Amino acid sequence: MDRVLEDFVTALRLSGVRISVAETLDACSAAALVGYGNRLLLKDSLGAALAKSGHEKDLFSDTFDRFFSDFTCTAALPERDDGVDREATLPEDPLSRMLLQGDQASLAAALQEAARAADIRAIRLPTQRSLYTVRILNALGIDGLDSTIRTFSGAGSGGPLAQADALQAARQELVDNVRQYVERQLDLYGRGIVNEYLEEALRKTRLSHLEQRHFEKMGELIQRLVKRLNDIHSRRRKAARRGHLDFKRTLRHNVPYGGFIFDPKWKQRKVNRPDVLVICDISRSMMRLVRFFLLFLYGLNEEILRIRTFVFCSNLIDVSDVFERYPVEVAVDRLQQGTDLPIVMGLTDYARSLDDFRLQYLNLVTRRTTVLFLGDGRNNNADPGTHVLRDIYQRCKRLVWLNPEPRPFWGTGDSEMKRFLPYCHAARECNTLDHLERVIGSLLAATRH
């Protein structure tokens, strides 16, 4: 494969574009067909072969512009009457000769070749800048240039001394050029690894401590995780729906064909869509976690889960219709702002909220219902109303409590978690994206049985 195209595909993969071997071969064919002469045509051709989604097209366009941008080496001595006789005493060293002759094209080509010899595309971290700068300068022949400067300086006076001074200035310019080149390559090949580190850190960051500037990135992470869960469980659902081959029905049905099986019949297995009832504490300390939890949960395919959502603080209300009327992101924002909702945002009152649920919605809980309760269990030293939770526990299939606080904090201060625990089938700490993925993944797996 073309080395330039190979490097470009590497840069694209590092920037986050998923490229298969077949797509790489398509890109090779496209590049061979259109060539590198027409930049716009090459960009369109490679883009058609390598970028699949709108997000990948944006990444492709940005990476293409940075990868195929020109780099000018300005270290060569300019053509002017500075008293330096460039032709009379040209040194043997190739780098010194290019600098004295002002051959910028050859210098740029030599820089590209030196970078390739130094394996610049392996650069990933900002701490590697100096390492690769030194490697490229060594590959360019900086030692030969230094030797030439020392030789000319030793001449004492006249033309050689002027050449030594000029080469010394050109040397500094060359080092600056190499540093700039390394910086651009780091931006090209290292941006992906920086994003990976950021995503890894965000997955483990407590959602209650997440900064506003990372909300958009967190939304992208959630969409990616949701897509993966949708793919996994949609495939399982399809396989379960198809069932196994029914030999008796198949043989009976194919008797008219003389025993040849033209029309196989399958044993159908009914797969129930799980009912999930979500009860969320949306007090100030919980709101950020609730936001990402609902974004995650409502991002799942409707064929996988049937969700009904309630939120509470001082009282409890049903907000399922908000998610039916608005997109998930808008619905979550409306919950956060309390727009047109009869929710009372005073002190958290578990007893009143659970009692509201018992009076109005307890009949929704059946033996097929999985109840997800998201709250920190802190009730301001009031009665927690555990008897209502006991009623829900006895009626539902499974009750899972998700608490953002570490388990050692449960039962401390005004936390009533230890009084709620006997009425939970499972209780887990949940305050990071990793926790959310594990909880919802296990929920999807458990609701299949």
Side-chain angles (χ1 to χ4, degrees):
M1 185 170 63
D2 186 342
R3 181 62 184 266
V4 174
L5 193 57
E6 182 184 350
D7 290 349
F8 178 59
V9 170
T10 300
L12 271 179
R13 284 177 171 149
L14 290 171
S15 69
V17 180
R18 292 183 302 169
I19 301 174
S20 66
V21 175
E23 289 164 348
T24 305
L25 293 176
D26 288 344
C28 289
S29 301
L33 186 64
V34 303
Y36 290 90
N38 188 324
R39 178 188 175 94
L40 185 59
L41 183 59
L42 177 66
K43 185 176 183 179
D44 290 342
S45 303
L46 294 181
L50 299 174
K52 283 82 67 183
S53 64
H55 177 61
E56 288 189 351
K57 287 183 188 301
D58 292 340
L59 290 175
F60 172 86
S61 180
D62 178 58
T63 306
F64 184 93
D65 292 340
R66 287 185 290 122
F67 186 86
F68 288 101
S69 61
D70 296 328
F71 182 81
T72 304
C73 189
T74 59
L77 299 184
E79 290 289 343
R80 64 173 185 267
D81 187 13
D82 52 6
V84 178
D85 186 356
R86 294 177 171 78
E87 301 297 334
T89 55
L90 282 178
E92 296 293 329
D93 172 55
L95 180 58
S96 303
R97 292 171 70 91
M98 286 188 285
L99 290 172
L100 285 172
Q101 290 176 331
D103 191 352
Q104 292 187 341
S106 297
L107 274 171
L111 177 57
Q112 297 279 352
E113 190 60 34
R116 192 160 297 161
D119 195 17
I120 187 65
R121 66 177 186 170
I123 190 169
R124 295 290 184 273
L125 302 172
T127 52
Q128 294 176 310
R129 290 191 190 101
S130 298
L131 172 67
Y132 280 95
T133 301
V134 171
R135 284 183 180 177
I136 293 174
L137 286 171
N138 288 335
L140 272 171
I142 193 75
D143 291 339
L145 175 60
D146 289 339
S147 176
T148 301
I149 293 173
R150 286 194 298 271
T151 302
F152 285 167
S153 298
S157 61
L161 186 57
Q163 282 185 322
D165 293 341
L167 282 175
Q168 186 64 44
R171 182 188 188 281
Q172 185 58 45
E173 184 74 15
L174 179 65
V175 172
D176 291 342
N177 284 167
V178 172
R179 284 178 178 154
Q180 293 168 12
Y181 181 81
V182 170
E183 192 68 37
R184 289 175 60 168
Q185 300 307 304
L186 174 63
D187 182 54
L188 187 63
Y189 294 107
R191 186 181 291 186
I193 199 75
V194 172
N195 280 337
E196 284 182 17
Y197 284 146
L198 175 61
E199 290 178 2
E200 188 64 25
L202 288 178
R203 288 173 63 98
K204 299 182 185 308
T205 301
R206 291 176 67 91
L207 295 173
S208 55
H209 297 166
L210 195 68
E211 298 179 23
Q212 186 79 29
R213 62 193 173 100
H214 291 140
F215 274 25
E216 185 178 353
K217 189 69 179 176
M218 185 61 80
E220 293 175 10
L221 281 175
I222 288 177
Q223 287 180 3
R224 209 177 305 158
L225 294 175
V226 164
K227 182 178 184 306
R228 190 162 66 85
L229 288 176
N230 271 329
D231 290 345
I232 292 172
H233 293 279
S234 293
R235 282 200 296 270
R236 289 179 181 173
R237 184 179 181 81
K238 185 177 178 181
R241 186 181 294 154
R242 189 180 62 190
H244 298 288
L245 184 66
D246 188 335
F247 287 103
K248 293 181 180 176
R249 283 185 61 216
T250 299
L251 291 176
R252 281 199 303 272
H253 194 76
N254 288 276
V255 167
Y257 307 124
F260 291 99
I261 301 176
F262 286 108
D263 188 9
K265 296 298 177 184
W266 304 92
K267 292 179 180 176
Q268 299 295 323
R269 190 173 66 180
K270 185 178 180 182
V271 179
N272 293 322
R273 187 171 63 164
D275 287 333
V276 176
L277 198 149
V278 183
I279 304 174
C280 298
D281 175 359
I282 60 167
S283 58
R284 185 177 302 173
S285 59
M286 291 291 301
M287 196 57 223
R288 192 161 290 185
L289 176 62
V290 170
R291 174 189 180 82
F292 292 114
F293 176 74
L294 292 179
L295 279 177
F296 205 131
L297 203 59
Y298 273 89
L300 295 172
N301 194 325
E302 291 182 357
E303 291 186 0
I304 295 179
L305 292 177
R306 183 189 295 119
I307 306 170
R308 187 149 186 178
T309 304
F310 302 86
V311 297
F312 71 92
C313 187
S314 297
N315 64 331
L316 179 140
I317 60 171
D318 182 0
V319 294
S320 305
D321 62 318
V322 179
F323 287 93
E324 292 172 1
R325 284 185 284 129
Y326 301 100
V328 179
E329 292 81 3
V330 178
V332 170
D333 286 339
R334 293 180 75 85
L335 287 187
Q336 197 163 12
Q337 297 163 9
T339 309
D340 300 330
L341 297 175
I343 184 80
V344 180
M345 297 298 291
L347 293 176
T348 307
D349 191 339
Y350 276 73
R352 178 184 170 187
S353 302
L354 285 170
D355 207 44
D356 288 345
F357 184 85
R358 180 180 63 82
L359 294 173
Q360 302 176 62
Y361 309 111
L362 188 59
N363 61 326
L364 299 176
V365 181
T366 67
R367 299 305 300 172
R368 294 179 52 200
T369 307
T370 297
V371 179
L372 287 180
F373 208 110
L374 185 61
D376 56 11
R378 295 197 175 273
N379 198 42
N380 302 298
N381 298 313
D383 174 24
T386 52
H387 62 285
V388 182
L389 192 68
R390 182 195 58 207
D391 293 344
I392 299 173
Y393 169 80
Q394 291 173 344
R395 292 173 65 96
C396 72
K397 177 182 179 182
R398 197 160 180 251
L399 194 156
V400 180
W401 191 298
L402 306 178
N403 192 323
E405 294 186 346
R407 190 172 280 267
F409 286 21
W410 297 2
T412 62
D414 61 348
S415 172
E416 304 289 352
M417 270 309 293
K418 290 192 175 178
R419 298 178 64 182
F420 289 131
L421 281 177
Y423 308 116
C424 301
H425 293 90
R428 298 180 183 176
E429 176 186 344
C430 181
N431 53 37
T432 68
L433 194 57
D434 275 350
H435 290 161
L436 277 180
E437 184 186 12
R438 280 199 293 270
V439 165
I440 296 179
S442 62
L443 168 69
L444 291 174
T447 50
R448 293 287 161 212
H449 305 295

